[in-house]
Amino acid sequence: MNRFYAPDMSATSQILTRLAEHLATLGWQVSVVTSRQLYGAPGILPSNEEIAGVQIQRVLTTRFGNAGLAGRALDYLSFYLTAFLALLTTLKRGDIVVAKTDPPLISVFAHWAAALKGARLVNWLQDLYPEIAVAYGVRAARGPLGALLKSLRNTSLRGASVNVVICEDMARIVTPLAGTSRVEVVHNWSDDTIVRPVAPEDNPLVAAWGLQDRFVVGYSGNLGRAHDWRTIVAAADLLRARPDILFLMIGGGAGQGPLRAEVERQGLQASFRFEPYQPHALLACSLSLPQVHLVSLLPEFRGLMFPSKVFGIAAAGRGMIAIVDSPSDLADLVQTHGSGEATPVGDGAGLASLIARLADDGAAAQALGRRSLAMLAAGFACEQTLTRWSAVLEAA
C-alpha cells in the first residue's frame, strides 16, 4: 500500500516499484493498492493495470492537496477509506500486507484490514507520524488528537509481523513502541543500475548550465522543512569572494522559496544556480555534476526520517558533506566509510572551510567519491538491499 506507484516517479513510488517488480521476478504474487494520481502532476491513471508482473489496483481519491492542510487531510482520508475497502476485497488469509507511510498513519488501516482478513502486516516506515507533525510545530499534534493518533499507530506497530525502518536512529525509537513485534533496519537504496558516475566531458549538463571551471557544491532533491538551508547561505556568504565555487540547487520543496529570497536579500545570486527536478533519464548526469553534495537534517527530526538521497549520491561516485548535529546515523554513515565530512547545523564557517578545502584540493574531493562507491558496494547497493527485503518477507 502506498499512495503513489509506477509510472509515478516520486521517491517513495520508485523504491516501492523496484521492490514489487523484484519480488515478482522471484515468483511472488504481488499486488499493489495505490491511487490514480501522479505526484505533483495532472492526469488520472487506469484503475487496473499490470506492469512487470505486478497487479496494480488504483483507487479514486480527492485532489485538494494545493488547498493547504485541510485539503491534504481530505486527500489522506479519501485514500484511507478507498484503499481500506480495496484491501478488504483483495486480501486472502495468509497474505502479507506491506504498508508504507504515504499517506501518514496508513499502517492503522492496513492493520485493521489484515486483522479482519487473517493476513500478516509488514510496516515499511519511511518516517514517523505524528512525531514529525510535532517537530513541524503543528499544535494539534501535541494535544488529545496527537495522543489518539499515536495510540492507534502504536497498536499497528505491535500488530505487525515485522516493522521495517530505514535507519538505526529510527529503530531506537520504534523498538520500545512495537512491543514484541520485530524491528528490522533495511536502508532505502538508489537504483545503481541507472545512476552511475558520469565524467564532465560526457555530461551534457556541464555545458548547458555553464559549469565549466566551477567547483560545484550540489543539493539535489527535496529541500523541505526538515532540512537546513540557513547554514548553506551562511557558508556562501563567507565564500562570496570565491567565484570559482557555485552552489547548485536541483529540486524543490518548502525550503526553496525562503532560500531563494535570502540569496537575493544578501546579493548572493552569482554564487547560486537553481534548477528544477530533472527527468529520470538525466538523473545520473545531474547527480554527477557536483564535485561534492550537501545533505542535511535538522536535529529535531533525528530518527523520524533519513535523507536516503545519500545512496544516489554514492552511486554517482560523489562525496558529501552532512549538515547535521552528532551523534546521528547520517554523520556516522559518511564518516565511518570516509565518503564525506560532517559539520553541525548552524556552523556556516565550518561548512565554508570544508568546501574551500575541497575546492583547493580536487584529489581530496575525488577520493571522497571513490569511498562513496566503496560504501555502496559494502552493503547498500540496490541488489543487496532487495535481497534483505526478500529475507524479511520470507521470515514473515
Side-chain angles (χ1 to χ4, degrees):
M1 293 181 72
N2 193 57
R3 195 158 49 120
F4 299 104
Y5 189 79
D8 179 79
M9 293 305 297
S10 61
T12 60
S13 173
Q14 287 187 54
I15 59 173
L16 175 57
T17 302
R18 187 73 175 84
L19 175 61
E21 293 180 356
H22 171 75
L23 293 171
T25 64
L26 297 180
W28 290 77
Q29 181 183 342
V30 185
S31 302
V32 173
V33 175
T34 186
S35 77
R36 299 182 67 181
Q37 299 181 26
L38 293 168
Y39 181 78
I44 297 292
L45 296 169
S47 58
N48 288 281
E49 192 174 11
E50 180 179 327
I51 300 177
V54 178
Q55 296 294 326
I56 307 166
Q57 182 178 0
R58 298 191 180 96
V59 298
L60 280 174
T61 61
T62 60
R63 300 193 68 165
F64 297 118
N66 294 330
L69 187 61
R72 283 197 299 275
L74 285 172
D75 290 349
Y76 292 167
L77 179 61
S78 67
F79 184 77
Y80 295 147
L81 295 176
T82 55
F84 176 68
L85 292 174
L87 274 187
L88 290 182
T89 60
T90 301
L91 282 179
K92 300 182 297 295
R93 180 169 297 277
D95 283 352
I96 298 174
V97 183
V98 179
K100 293 197 76 178
T101 47
D102 183 6
L105 303 172
I106 198 170
S107 65
V108 173
F109 294 85
H111 172 56
W112 291 342
L116 286 170
K117 301 296 287 189
R120 298 175 177 88
L121 174 64
V122 173
N123 289 315
W124 189 358
L125 303 172
Q126 301 290 311
D127 41 42
L128 290 179
Y129 277 87
E131 288 86 350
I132 283 181
V134 173
Y136 281 152
V138 178
R139 195 171 305 169
R142 297 181 180 274
L145 176 60
L148 172 63
L149 294 177
K150 188 177 292 187
S151 175
L152 292 170
R153 191 276 319 274
N154 289 349
T155 299
S156 72
L157 298 179
R158 292 191 294 270
S161 295
V162 59
N163 296 287
V164 177
V165 298
I166 58 173
C167 64
E168 295 289 348
D169 281 338
M170 190 178 290
R172 282 187 279 273
I173 295 174
V174 171
T175 297
L177 303 177
T180 59
S181 292
R182 288 169 46 223
V183 176
E184 296 279 354
V185 178
V186 183
H187 286 85
N188 286 339
W189 63 88
S190 170
D191 193 342
D192 42 58
T193 62
I194 295 174
V195 179
R196 299 284 190 183
V198 179
E201 60 271 18
D202 299 324
N203 195 331
L205 296 180
V206 172
W209 293 354
L211 302 179
Q212 304 93 328
D213 304 318
R214 305 292 294 271
F215 183 84
V216 179
V217 181
Y219 186 98
S220 180
N222 179 52
L223 184 63
R225 288 178 288 176
H227 308 124
D228 174 32
W229 55 264
R230 291 178 175 82
T231 306
I232 299 173
V233 173
D237 181 39
L238 294 171
L239 294 169
R240 69 168 69 226
R242 293 285 305 262
D244 58 312
I245 296 175
L246 177 74
F247 291 82
L248 175 64
M249 314 298 292
I250 302 175
Q256 279 275 350
L259 170 59
R260 285 176 179 260
E262 188 63 18
V263 165
E264 292 183 13
R265 191 186 73 81
Q266 295 196 31
L268 289 167
Q269 293 93 326
S271 298
F272 281 83
R273 183 182 180 102
F274 294 88
E275 294 291 343
Y277 286 106
Q278 296 301 295
H280 194 60
L282 288 176
L283 188 57
C285 293
S286 66
L287 288 174
S288 295
L289 281 174
Q291 279 84 358
V292 67
H293 282 257
L294 302 177
V295 186
S296 74
L297 190 67
L298 292 170
E300 56 265 37
F301 293 93
R302 176 191 173 193
L304 305 182
M305 58 175 64
F306 184 84
S308 298
K309 67 181 67 180
V310 297
F311 303 116
I313 295 167
R318 296 295 182 263
M320 57 206 85
I321 299 175
I323 307 170
V324 61
D325 288 358
S326 294
S328 77
D329 280 352
L330 178 56
D332 290 346
L333 181 69
V334 298
Q335 291 177 323
T336 299
H337 293 273
S339 57
E341 307 273 2
T343 190
V345 171
D347 187 6
L351 178 59
S353 176
L354 286 173
I355 292 171
R357 176 166 59 81
L358 293 172
D360 294 335
D361 187 356
Q366 292 172 7
L368 292 181
R370 288 193 297 271
R371 290 195 287 269
S372 285
L373 285 169
M375 176 188 77
L376 207 65
F380 301 99
C382 180
E383 286 300 324
Q384 294 169 314
T385 312
L386 290 173
T387 298
R388 285 198 289 276
W389 254 107
S390 298
V392 166
L393 294 176
E394 289 285 358

